[in-house]
Amino acid sequence: MKPTEFNNFSDTFVFDTHIPWPTLSIFGWIHGDETAWIKTIDYLIKQIWNHAMNLLNWKLILAYGNQVAMQLGEKWERQDVYNMNRTFIKKYLKSISDEYEIQRTQQLAKILDESDILLDIHSTSSASDPFIFAEDIWDELAIAKSIFSGNTIVWWEAMAKKIWIIDWDTNGYMHALWKTALTLECGNHLDAWAAQVWKQTATRLLSHLWMIDNKQESEENNGTGYEMYGIETKTAKDFTFAKDFRNFTKIQVWDLVYSDAEKDVYAQEDF
C-alpha cells in the first residue's frame, strides 16, 4: 500500500485500506524546531510502503505540520507572530490569508474534520521526561495509559481555558468536535531517546487500534497521573522563579515558588 496525496496538500501521506471508519491522524512538526519525530515518520512510511508493517483496517494520515518553519529550523515561520498550535479557531480558520501558517492550519483542520483520533507529537527545548496529555473523556485516558508508560496529564484544557489562547490547539479543535485527541511530549528535541518514545508510542497506538498485524502487548503504565491544579501568570517584569524548576519537579508545602514585584508565592500543599 503506497501513500496517496490528500487533496493536493503537501507534506501529507495517506494510507487507506478502504475499510470505512474510523480515521487516525498523526501530526508532527507543528513547531519547526521540534525534531524528535523526523526518523519515526520516515520509519512508519517505509514500513508500510515496503509491507513490513501491514495496515489492516481504517485510514492512516501522517502529516508534517509546518514545512517552512522546519526548513528554517525555527519554532514558527515568523517569530512572535503565529504560534501555529494556537491558530485552530474560527478567527484563523475562516480567514482569507496569504500567510503560510494560516493556510497550513486550514489544511490540517480539514484533515482533523475527517479524523476520528489524533496523535499530535511534540518535543521540548529543555530536558524533560516524556509525558502525554489526555482528558478523562470517552476512552481517551484509557488509550493513553495503554500505549504510553510515562506520566499522564489531565485537566489541561480546563485550566487552559483560563488563559484562553492555549485552548486553540489541535486537541481543543478535536475535542470541540467530540473526538479523541492525544498530545505526546516525547522529551528534548535532540535526545535520541525522544525519537524512540515517539516510534514506540505511535506503533503501540496502531496496534491498540488493530490497524496493524504485528500486535503488541499493551504498555504497562508505570508513570504518574497528574491533574492540572491551577495556572499562575506573572504580573511584573521582574518575575523570577525560586529555582530552576523542570517538568514534574516535586514541590513541598510552603516552598517558595516564585516572586515578583507584588508578592512571593508559596506552595499551599505538596505537589
Side-chain angles (χ1 to χ4, degrees), residues 234-242 258-264:
K234 64 180 181 181
T235 58
K237 291 183 178 180
D238 59 352
F239 171 97
T240 56
F241 281 113
Y258 71 84
S259 302
D260 61 24
E262 298 182 358
K263 60 185 177 180
D264 293 331

Side-chain angles (χ1 to χ4, degrees), residues 85-118:
N85 208 27
R86 303 292 183 265
T87 56
F88 286 82
I89 58 165
K90 185 176 181 180
K91 173 183 176 181
Y92 299 112
L93 296 174
K94 299 298 182 181
S95 67
I96 299 175
S97 174
D98 59 1
E99 297 279 359
Y100 165 77
E101 287 171 316
I102 299 305
Q103 294 177 352
R104 186 58 176 155
T105 294
Q106 293 169 352
Q107 294 169 354
L108 293 174
K110 290 181 179 179
I111 295 175
L112 296 179
D113 288 341
E114 81 156 63
S115 301
D116 300 283
I117 300 175
L118 169 70

Side-chain angles (χ1 to χ4, degrees), residues 23-35:
T23 296
L24 167 65
S25 288
I26 301 178
F27 287 1
W29 250 340
I30 292 285
H31 297 139
D33 62 341
E34 298 180 5
T35 57

